[in-house]
Every structure is written in C-alpha cells, then in structure tokens.
Amino acid sequence: PDASLPFFAVDLVPSWSPDGRTIAFGRRFASSLGPPGLYVVDVQGGVPRFIVRGDNFWPQSIQFSADSHRLVAANLLQLVIADLRTGVVTQPIYVNNGVSYADWAPDGESVLYGRAMYFPCCEPPDSGGVHILDLVRGIDRPLTDQIGVVRSTDAIWLPDGKHIAHGDLRQGEVSAV
C-alpha cells in the first residue's frame, strides 16, 4: 500500500462467539452492507447481518454471552444488548454519564460496564466508575473496594464469575476485586 495515504480501518473490535460459529464486529462507515453499526457474520462466510446502528467510533467492547445467543456492547455511549435469536435489541438502562465498555458475567445474568464520565464537582461518587447491572433483578450498582467506587479504564469478569480484573488493561496496570 501507498504509505502516503491515510489508513482507515472499516471494521472495528471483532469478537468471536464462545461456540466459534459467529463473529460480531463494528462497521465504521456506511457500505453496501448498510449503515455503520454492529453486525454479525457466520464464520463460514455469507452476508453479515445488521444488528444496531452505530457511528465512526461505536460500537465498542462487543462481547458474546457464554451461550453465544446474546451480545452486549457499548454503543453511542449507551449499553445495548442484542438477542441474536430474535433480533431484539434493548437498552436495559439509560446512563447519563455514558458507557465506555461492557462485559458479560459468565452466568449471563449480569453485565459489567464502565461509566465514561464523572464530574466530582456536582455528582455523587456512584455516578461514575465501574458498575454491575443485574439483568434478572433489574438492579444497577457501582463496584466498590476499600477506597470507594472503583474507577477504571477497563474491567472484565474473570472466568470464576466472582472476581473482576480492572485497571488500565492497555497499560498492564491490573488489579482484581
């Protein structure tokens, strides 16, 4: 390729389903597939299926549930869940501070997510940080440690479903709760 030309990735943040049958990805630009947004495609090929509209920067943190039937993503600063069997996409909670990443609990009953913005001057501490949304009970709560609400650039569930790794995972600064 010509090094003088700018490089733009069209598809972002691919995620493989646990059963190995499906890939989800974010398409940044409108194309022959359709609008920018979240798509899924069979690993054997075929036409990708449009799930939900996004833009040049979203969706992010696309994660499959353990049973490979649902997706969670941070999309346009909100949390979205897509049921791939029915095609229904929901926004289970509105987050005024925006969602920056999301991850399924291994049991599929909760979602871990980070709130993108926090203004200490005028908001309670639990308005930001890492949160857990219990999808079964409809309860959203901040993740806390000995210091208070956990603030992190990334967080993921560990396979045991009881612990969470968090920190700046890109910089290798990680701790567990």
Side-chain angles (χ1 to χ4, degrees):
D2 184 346
S4 66
L5 297 175
F7 173 76
F8 293 102
V10 174
D11 298 326
L12 298 174
V13 295
S15 179
W16 283 77
S17 62
D19 66 10
R21 296 180 181 172
T22 309
I23 299 171
F25 63 93
R27 167 86 20 133
R28 296 176 71 181
F29 308 104
S31 69
S32 61
L33 293 179
L38 178 60
Y39 288 82
V40 294
V41 65
D42 188 280
V43 297
Q44 300 298 317
V47 178
R49 180 168 48 123
F50 175 73
I51 303 297
V52 66
R53 192 173 202 39
D55 69 13
N56 190 36
F57 303 103
W58 302 95
Q60 295 290 326
S61 295
I62 302 167
Q63 300 293 327
F64 279 89
S65 59
D67 64 8
S68 299
H69 296 304
R70 295 177 292 169
L71 287 172
V72 67
N75 191 47
L76 302 171
L77 288 172
Q78 293 300 316
L79 188 69
V80 294
I81 295 176
D83 185 317
L84 299 178
R85 293 170 295 182
T86 65
V88 173
V89 177
T90 59
Q91 181 183 318
I93 187 172
Y94 174 79
V95 180
N96 190 44
N97 293 61
V99 172
S100 57
Y101 59 84
D103 190 35
W104 281 105
D107 65 8
E109 294 184 0
S110 298
V111 171
L112 176 73
Y113 71 95
R115 292 192 176 183
M117 299 167 274
Y118 171 61
F119 305 98
C121 67
C122 44
E123 295 179 324
D126 65 354
S127 294
V130 180
H131 280 243
I132 298 174
L133 176 60
D134 182 325
L135 299 168
V136 175
R137 294 168 198 78
I139 298 170
D140 180 69
R141 66 179 174 85
L143 182 64
T144 59
D145 60 14
Q146 305 86 338
I147 300 169
V149 175
V150 172
R151 306 228 181 269
S152 181
T153 59
D154 289 292
I156 57 171
W157 286 98
L158 296 180
D160 68 6
K162 296 177 178 146
H163 296 91
I164 294 164
H166 67 90
D168 190 341
L169 301 179
R170 292 172 293 233
Q171 299 297 321
E173 301 169 10
V174 179
S175 59
V177 177

